[in-house]
Amino acid sequence: MKKLLINLFILAVSLPLQGKTERFKVVARSESHRAVEEKVELADLESKTSFDGKYFKIVKGKDDEAIPFNSDENLVFKAATVYFHLTKARDYFVHHLKSQYVASLPKMIIRIEHKNQFSELGHFAHDNLDPQFNNALTVPAGKGLSSRNIKPWGIEIWFRPQKKIHISELNANNLQSQEFKVLMRGFRNQIHMQSLQRFLAQSVNILINGTQPGRGLTLDSVMRTAGSSLIMEFGYQFYDPIAKATSRKNYWLDTALVPEIIYHEFAHAALSDHLVLSRSTAIIEGMADFFAGQIAGSPKLAKRIKKYNTFNGKNAKRKQDYILQFEMSEYANTDFVFGLLWEMKTILGEKPGESFMFELRKRLSTEGTIRSDLVEGLLQTCNDICQAPFQDKITILKALNYRGL
Ligand SMILES: [Zn+2]
């Protein structure tokens, strides 16, 4: 009897504890698409003390071990946000698009606050070699190098730390009094002239006399883009939940806290069965952004894509907006591809359009050009999966023709 009472007592004490799963603060989106903090449960965690799950392990920098729950509050906030949105992105590809490839991907290592450049042979480039900030990157798997004690690695996603740069530090002639938003608008006014990267490089001095004596920071290392300007700007206008700052005389992008950028990076991994992760091209970036937009499922984002889509600069017919040079990757415009894919989806209908774009990856390559490969890919995909290929191809061609392709 006594034993039974003790057992009952233990049961009564342990039951409420068992039911209580840890909840984490993450960045989420409100109805009106503002960044809000939300407390959520994280699915498929395998560890009770760190961000080590069935599909993702979140580590800091070059570490091997997962970030413990009792780490610095901001680090835990970023790790939880990344884990939460990666889980959402994975669910989308596995359960919604039924991707066998994504379902069979081994556990991914996700690095946050990671500054090193990627090295195809060495995994991480030397610490001093052009450390990276304000962007994110998905890296292909590598074999490692046993002679140098570099272990093989799988596909990884790297989120760089943020670094605040005051607009005056950019040392641009006419930009010192302007907010970054204005800079973005300037880009949008000539969206087809060049990529955001090039636009920034021309607008501001490429070398910023930076923090390290005798060694300037390259613009590329502080302002590398993560996806199209549209997705980036979406994240950029995002209110910084850590600094609680809204002043935009400074530029920074905390990519680990921007859901759309997290989706974008996972989409690169998910599409890598056909679109190899060799380098950034307009096609590979536009495809990743398309799926980031789908996962976000935000009517506000959709509206904005549509708005920018009808912008005059989006018309490839206008010679000053679209020239053949855009086909070369350094000029090729991710926004153009993103807008085009989004428009095609709308034309084909939400559901069939989405499956269409997922099929499309099989008929594209990372190195493909917009004018021939993308157009050809769209038509071939339609041949294979459109309900009424003849009719639908005419519709597609009309839309392409309107854009001057
Ligand atoms: Zn990308």
Side-chain angles (χ1 to χ4, degrees), residues 356-367:
F356 185 100
M357 294 313 155
F358 193 50
E359 250 332 271
L360 176 66
R361 80 194 190 288
K362 298 179 185 168
R363 291 158 189 87
L364 294 177
S365 75
T366 304
E367 306 292 326

Side-chain angles (χ1 to χ4, degrees), residues 136-138 225-228 261 264-265 268 280-281 284-286 288-289 334:
L137 174 74
T138 304
T225 60
S228 63
I261 292 179
H264 172 100
E265 294 306 329
H268 275 313
S280 261
T281 62
I284 201 170
E285 295 302 323
D289 267 0
T334 303

Side-chain angles (χ1 to χ4, degrees), residues 35 46 60 67 77 88 120 126 136 144 183 209 223 226 239-240 254 287 290 324 331 343 356 362-363:
E46 284 182 329
K60 186 184 178 207
I67 294 169
F77 183 33
K88 188 176 161 185
E120 266 172 46
H126 193 274
L183 195 68
N209 295 317
M223 280 194 168
Y239 155 90
D240 188 324
D254 216 330
M287 284 289 278
F290 175 83
L324 209 63
Y331 286 98
E343 188 186 326
F356 185 100
K362 298 179 185 168
R363 291 158 189 87

Side-chain angles (χ1 to χ4, degrees), residues 238-251:
F238 158 84
Y239 155 90
D240 188 324
I242 287 179
K244 306 279 182 209
T246 49
S247 156
R248 287 319 197 184
K249 288 272 165 140
N250 289 298
Y251 169 80

